[in-house]
Amino acid sequence: MHQHLALLIILLFSLTQCSTTTAPAASGTPSIPLVGTFTSNCYDSGDDYTKNTIVATATRITKTATYYSESDCSGAPIFKLEQVFDVSYGTADGSGVYPLDATVVSYSTTPLTSAYATVFNGITFCGLTTWAVDTSQSVLGLTCSGTLNPSAGAVALDIIKITGSSFNFSEEASISTRPTSLSTTITYS
């Protein structure tokens, strides 16, 4: 579970950065800048399974990664990670990939079952021992499962490509180098 959460934090962090270029899109499909609510496929994130929801305005993306025990993400969720970014998009390259810059606003984790709250407290997850069911805690700048979360104001470099009615970010955003390949694991629609 801990490795999965670290991977999720990294994956979540990787979906940031935007500007103000408008891409042509058919009616009912996503376009740049992203505006609306989008959901990812359910994917294996290590010890658990994850489904992401993005709520986007022209300048802000809120990404909620919800974790499940079931491989089809159909049961009761066990915990969630919410990340908020102020975003700006650059100009698309020749293949329709847009650079995305995401400034970290907040990161928070919420155990959704008493079992996960107990586990988080028992392992001092993110250095905290005050985890409670349905109570969100900021994990900005904290080390969780060996991964240092960024602080507020950090800028993550990412990419995004819209194909028809779906889109993909990179596998992992970076503070220092913009990724060059898109995720083949996580698709949003």
Side-chain angles (χ1 to χ4, degrees):
M1 178 197 76
H2 311 315
Q3 292 172 341
H4 175 58
L5 183 58
L7 178 59
L8 177 62
I9 291 169
I10 292 169
L11 289 174
L12 291 176
F13 183 67
S14 73
L15 82 81
T16 52
Q17 295 207 30
C18 2
S19 171
T20 56
T21 302
T22 302
S27 177
T29 63
S31 63
I32 300 296
L34 285 180
V35 175
T37 300
F38 308 94
T39 304
S40 77
N41 55 300
C42 179
Y43 60 94
D44 184 344
S45 51
D47 295 330
D48 305 303
Y49 300 90
T50 307
K51 191 169 194 173
N52 301 331
T53 301
I54 290 178
V55 177
T57 67
T59 59
R60 180 163 280 189
I61 290 176
T62 300
K63 180 180 178 183
T64 303
T66 305
Y67 294 83
Y68 300 83
S69 297
E70 297 80 14
S71 62
D72 62 355
C73 298
S74 64
I78 53 180
F79 69 94
K80 67 181 178 180
L81 173 64
E82 182 179 273
Q83 300 170 309
V84 179
F85 304 96
D86 286 335
V87 295
S88 63
Y89 300 90
T91 302
D93 66 12
S95 64
V97 175
Y98 290 83
L100 172 69
D101 294 339
T103 302
V104 175
V105 174
S106 66
Y107 272 41
S108 61
T109 299
T110 307
L112 301 174
T113 68
S114 60
Y116 267 75
T118 299
V119 167
F120 284 5
N121 284 321
I123 63 170
T124 314
F125 185 64
C126 301
L128 304 172
T129 58
T130 54
W131 296 101
V133 176
D134 294 326
T135 303
S136 176
Q137 293 206 59
S138 174
V139 293
L140 279 171
L142 300 180
T143 299
C144 304
S145 298
T147 300
L148 177 63
N149 289 325
S151 297
V155 177
L157 307 174
D158 206 351
I159 55 176
I160 181 174
K161 181 174 183 175
I162 296 172
T163 306
S165 62
S166 64
F167 62 92
N168 300 79
F169 295 100
S170 70
E171 282 293 339
E172 184 175 340
S174 171
I175 298 295
S176 59
T177 305
R178 190 170 310 279
T180 57
S181 61
L182 294 160
S183 172
T184 58
T185 306
I186 305 169
T187 299
Y188 293 87
S189 56

